Amino acid sequence: MDHQYLNTHLSPAVATTVTGVRTAMVALGAGGLAVVGILYTHRTWHQAREGQVTDRYTRAISQIASDKQVEQLGGIYALDVLITSVVDTRRA
């Protein structure tokens, strides 16, 4: 890109301009990488959250299907807590 400026004596104005362009390009690259990292983290967090909700739902349903009344009540309570937390999360 700026190979014509290598190994030559530059005036201060040209050197400042070349340095500014290089700095801007590095800053844009770093900013782009930061945005990609944030998007990836956001997506991963949501996938993990959905997996946790699915696991909690599956456990609650298996407790409800139990033959023991205490486990059935625990499953109903767990399902109520899960639904409440999902609704609160989606409202926010």
Side-chain angles (χ1 to χ4, degrees):
M1 171 181 72
D2 58 359
H3 63 279
Q4 67 215 18
Y5 298 114
L6 296 176
N7 296 325
T8 61
H9 298 288
L10 301 176
S11 69
V14 172
T16 301
T17 302
V18 169
T19 301
V21 169
R22 286 179 182 161
T23 302
M25 289 175 58
V26 169
L28 285 173
L33 286 175
V35 168
V36 168
I38 289 170
L39 291 175
Y40 178 76
T41 301
H42 180 73
R43 190 186 85 196
T44 303
W45 183 84
H46 277 288
Q47 287 175 342
R49 173 77 175 137
E50 289 297 321
Q52 290 172 356
V53 169
T54 301
D55 290 343
R56 288 171 61 190
Y57 177 78
T58 303
R59 260 184 296 169
I61 295 300
S62 65
Q63 285 178 333
I64 291 172
S66 174
D67 293 334
K68 298 177 183 175
Q69 190 175 22
V70 173
E71 286 184 15
Q72 291 173 344
L73 289 173
I76 291 170
Y77 177 74
L79 199 55
D80 179 53
V81 170
L82 176 64
I83 290 169
T84 303
S85 70
V86 168
V87 168
D88 289 344
T89 301
R90 296 193 187 231
R91 282 185 190 160

